[in-house]
Amino acid sequence: MSLLGSVLSNMLLTFGMAILAGSLKRHETKFNPNALSTYMVLLIMSCFGLIIPGAYSSVDGATRANLVTMSRFLAVIMIICYLSYLYFQLKSHSDYFEDEESPEDETPFIPVGLAIGLLGLDMYLISWLSDRLVDTLQPTVEQFGVSEYFIGFVLVPLIGNAAEMATAVLMAFHNKMGISFGVAVGSSIQVACFLLPCMVIASWAMGGTLDLNFHVFTTVATFASVIVVSTIVQDGKTNWLEGVYLLLAYTMVAVSYLFLTPKAAA
């Protein structure tokens, strides 16, 4: 659930904040339509991989074994989609993703090796902090009566996505909306279309039975969020009002998880 919470947090909260930051000194901000189309189609493909197992589980005669097998098959397809997208973005059609507002050649601030090392250190620290946070969930739920679904879907992703939020907002403020959109939505694509399927495959390799059947509430919220973002960016430009819409959409989803209990999720 935290992974899908990360997807929604990046799509709605991070992207909404980025749009607001980009609109502080501008009447409107513009995007590369080619990149937009690629991102949104892949997000919709990711939603297909989440909706189909959920729809199958509600069919009469559906079995757990078939659901797991179906999820593994869909996971392989989603990984192929993501790898194809990477080749498309980095090799065959890299010009589609160039940010027109940015200079073509920029001198890196730090060496590549150091950047990779710092990235690895950041990943370790975030993982460690997330583990410590998870360890405190149950006492917090019991003490304050906060839904564990709210903590897992909203609070944990907020901490894990802090780096994406800062980067996307900073890039948008400097009118580099292509980079900002790539950070916010690209992170969602990475989780939904690659990380989740990889977890299913890894579980399979270790003899587990992890599937892609999430609670219908979470799946519907994810698909609705993709529709909202796709509708907002379809014309290739945004303004502060659309950023507010995204933030309000995220608020609606987040608040609804305060009322989701284990009994309601069953």
Side-chain angles (χ1 to χ4, degrees):
M1 181 175 291
S2 294
L3 290 177
L4 285 184
S6 176
V7 172
L8 265 69
S9 175
N10 279 323
M11 279 196 301
L12 299 179
L13 181 61
T14 300
F15 189 40
M17 292 173 60
I19 291 176
L20 285 180
S23 301
L24 289 177
K25 299 180 180 179
R26 303 167 191 88
H27 184 67
E28 65 180 21
T29 55
K30 298 182 179 180
F31 301 94
N32 183 335
N34 294 322
L36 284 178
S37 176
T38 303
Y39 285 134
M40 299 318 302
V41 169
L42 192 53
L43 271 178
I44 294 174
M45 289 288 293
S46 301
C47 285
F48 279 170
L50 301 177
I51 292 174
I52 293 175
Y56 170 79
S57 65
S58 64
V59 175
D60 292 338
T63 65
R64 170 67 178 169
N66 287 340
L67 178 62
V68 172
T69 302
M70 175 189 296
S71 296
R72 292 168 177 172
F73 177 75
L74 293 175
V76 172
I77 294 179
M78 292 167 71
I79 292 174
I80 293 175
C81 285
Y82 185 77
L83 294 178
S84 300
Y85 150 75
L86 286 182
Y87 181 80
F88 184 85
Q89 181 186 33
L90 301 177
K91 187 69 175 179
S92 67
H93 290 71
S94 58
D95 56 304
Y96 276 22
F97 298 86
E98 292 179 356
D99 191 351
E100 297 179 357
E101 301 294 337
S102 303
E104 295 184 359
D105 298 312
E106 295 183 353
T107 303
F109 292 104
I110 57 177
V112 175
L114 178 59
I116 295 176
L118 291 175
L119 180 61
L121 178 61
D122 289 342
M123 292 174 59
Y124 173 79
L125 290 176
I126 291 175
S127 175
W128 183 82
L129 289 173
S130 297
D131 287 340
R132 302 288 77 75
L133 178 63
V134 170
D135 291 339
T136 64
L137 287 184
Q138 192 59 39
T140 302
V141 170
E142 295 176 353
Q143 181 177 356
F144 297 101
V146 180
S147 169
E148 61 185 59
Y149 291 96
F150 177 82
I151 295 176
F153 191 87
V154 178
L155 295 185
V156 173
L158 283 179
I159 296 175
N161 292 344
E164 286 92 340
M165 290 182 187
T167 302
V169 170
L170 180 62
M171 291 295 102
F173 182 78
H174 291 291
N175 201 29
K176 298 182 178 180
M177 293 304 297
I179 298 177
S180 179
F181 185 80
V183 169
V185 180
S187 297
S188 297
I189 291 174
Q190 187 178 57
V191 172
C193 198
F194 184 71
L195 183 56
L196 281 174
C198 281
M199 291 179 62
V200 172
I201 299 301
S203 173
W204 183 14
M206 294 184 291
T209 57
L210 181 65
D211 59 60
L212 293 172
N213 179 29
F214 294 88
H215 185 266
V216 63
F217 188 91
T218 302
T219 304
V220 170
T222 303
F223 186 61
S225 299
V226 172
I227 294 176
V228 171
V229 174
S230 179
T231 302
I232 284 179
V233 302
Q234 64 180 349
D235 59 353
K237 55 186 179 182
T238 61
N239 51 61
W240 68 266
L241 180 60
E242 293 174 332
V244 170
Y245 287 159
L246 290 180
L247 295 181
L248 293 178
Y250 182 77
T251 302
M252 286 191 286
V253 175
V255 170
S256 66
Y257 270 88
L258 284 172
F259 305 96
L260 189 64
T261 63
K263 183 178 180 180

